[in-house]
Amino acid sequence: MAKEKTLADAFHETLKDVYYAEKQSVRALKKSAKAAQSPELKTAFEDHLEESQEQVERLAQVFEIIGKPARAKTCEAMTGLTAEMEEDLEDFGGTQASDDVLIGCAQAVEHYEIARYGLLKTWAAKLGYDEAVPLLEQTLAEERKADELLSNIALGLDVSGETAKPKAKSKAA
Ligand code: FE
Ligand code: FE
Ligand code: ZN
Ligand code: FE
């Protein structure tokens, strides 16, 4: 007979995957901040780096809430995305297209994170992990904001009034 697996098991497995992915994203953001040429892009990466370190801590809190040790499990998706980033940096680093290519890589990471945190948030609500929901929601909002900021930078918009951090509930609605 097949082993009985529950949604709680899926949540735990995904949490381990995202814990790994978030730690990887911290490393990727460090590299991206170093490689960025424009000051506004560098600042965006640095701000989101700081935020991502808090996101790792938030995930550790979620492990605590479900009574499991905080453990990471290799996320093949994030491994692939960061490998692509390395490759793109080798090919385009220091060129005119460098920042645009870097933004593209970073947004792929943000979109993956948005998909995963959205899923974890939905499952946490379904499973009655009520304390985990706002933690995951906060991170999800930060990932969305980071993605939006990168889009604006890519478009060449003036982002001087924007920050990677979702201040209060100003832009949400
Ligand atoms: Fe993140
Ligand atoms: Fe993953
Ligand atoms: Zn994975
Ligand atoms: Fe992110």
Side-chain angles (χ1 to χ4, degrees), residues 15-148:
L15 189 62
K16 289 191 279 186
D17 179 283
V18 175
Y19 193 50
Y20 178 97
E22 194 60 60
K23 287 180 171 187
Q24 283 296 112
S25 94
V26 167
R27 295 165 121 184
L29 284 161
K30 275 182 193 162
K31 270 190 191 158
S32 303
K34 249 186 219 162
Q37 292 172 359
S38 92
E40 61 188 358
L41 183 58
K42 196 179 274 289
T43 302
F45 283 142
E46 283 167 353
D47 286 351
H48 194 51
L49 166 62
E50 222 177 279
E51 231 165 34
S52 300
Q53 284 161 338
E54 287 168 31
Q55 293 173 355
V56 171
E57 290 313 308
R58 241 174 253 144
L59 287 171
Q61 287 179 56
V62 176
F63 277 106
E64 237 181 271
I65 290 165
I66 65 166
K68 306 272 188 195
R71 227 170 257 153
K73 185 186 80 183
T74 304
C75 169
E76 300 295 350
M78 188 59 86
T79 300
L81 290 172
T82 50
E84 264 193 14
M85 190 188 110
E86 301 285 349
E87 198 186 323
D88 283 352
L89 268 177
E90 262 173 46
D91 291 347
F92 290 97
T95 69
Q96 269 190 3
S98 180
D99 275 3
D100 294 283
V101 167
L102 210 48
I103 289 172
C105 295
Q107 283 192 289
V109 169
E110 296 312 320
H111 286 214
Y112 179 69
E113 292 182 303
I114 289 166
R116 288 333 226 171
Y117 282 108
L119 182 72
L120 284 176
K121 191 196 88 169
T122 301
W123 285 358
K126 246 181 131 159
L127 290 162
Y129 301 150
D130 295 342
E131 291 163 84
V133 174
L135 293 171
L136 295 164
E137 220 154 46
Q138 191 181 345
T139 296
L140 181 59
E142 288 171 358
E143 309 296 21
R144 286 190 172 133
K145 191 76 186 68
D147 178 52
E148 193 186 301

